[in-house]
Amino acid sequence: MSPEDAPRFAADAMLGRLARWLRALGFDTAYDIAIADPVLVELANAEGRILLTRDRHLLRDLRPQRAVEVRVDDPLQQLRDVAQELALTGPVAMFSRCLLCNALLVPLSAREQELLLAGMEHAPSGPVLHCPICRKLYWDGSHARRMRRALEQVLPGWGAT
């Protein structure tokens, strides 16, 4: 699935962990715990996003144009259910978005990586990406491997990409 063809999401305040999983898979997922439900629905409608919510009242009263009601508590089961309901075929681009703010990640240059990681005891050996908005660093370390294994449990084949 190409990024241009991939669905875009807006997650309500109760779905922060699901939003992080969707971002890890490369899906553009708006999430802000402080946003009011009417504003969230307006954002989703205006930007053509699929609203993900656990709030039946939001669905009934505010009637978003496109929405999926999330019914389970476990974030990985939520992800599996959303993927099945929307017939998602796999990740867009694993670990291409910031898990915190949703921005697209940018590779550090070799020189930037050398300067930044010089003093680290266990510096990553592969490429390092950074978020241009919140400045968080990402690399393919043990956390990414654990996430891939967890994905394989609920969505076989998705953690390998």
Side-chain angles (χ1 to χ4, degrees):
M1 174 179 327
S2 73
E4 296 82 29
D5 299 330
R8 298 168 61 215
F9 299 101
D12 76 11
M14 294 181 268
L15 297 174
R17 291 172 61 197
L18 173 59
R20 288 174 62 99
W21 276 107
L22 287 166
R23 289 172 177 174
L25 294 168
F27 290 99
D28 180 349
T29 306
Y31 171 77
D32 182 346
I33 195 168
I35 197 168
D37 287 348
V39 177
L40 179 63
V41 170
E42 188 176 308
L43 168 91
N45 290 345
E47 295 183 1
R49 293 178 181 273
I50 300 167
L51 180 62
L52 305 173
T53 185
R54 299 215 49 198
D55 187 344
R56 289 183 183 164
H57 299 291
L58 181 152
L59 292 171
R60 185 189 67 223
D61 298 340
L62 299 176
R63 299 177 188 255
Q65 291 171 358
R66 297 175 64 200
V68 172
E69 181 183 356
V70 176
R71 295 182 178 98
V72 296
D73 292 330
D74 179 72
L76 283 169
Q77 297 304 316
Q78 292 171 345
L79 178 61
R80 186 201 62 215
D81 291 352
V82 167
Q84 288 176 345
E85 183 158 340
L86 298 174
L88 300 177
T89 57
V92 176
M94 289 285 289
F95 305 114
S96 62
R97 291 191 167 273
C98 179
L99 301 182
L100 299 178
C101 73
N102 196 43
L104 286 170
L105 299 176
V106 179
L108 288 178
S109 71
R111 179 71 179 140
E112 289 171 320
Q113 187 168 329
E114 179 185 323
L115 290 171
L116 187 65
L117 305 177
M120 289 180 70
E121 184 177 331
H122 299 288
S125 58
V128 176
L129 304 173
H130 81 281
C131 176
I133 306 298
C134 70
R135 314 305 274 175
K136 185 168 173 51
L137 298 176
Y138 294 89
W139 61 88
D140 196 17
S142 60
H143 186 68
R145 287 189 293 276
R146 281 192 302 274
M147 290 179 78
R148 288 179 196 279
R149 279 195 303 272
L151 274 172
E152 280 299 315
Q153 295 296 311
V154 294
L155 292 164
W158 281 39
T161 55

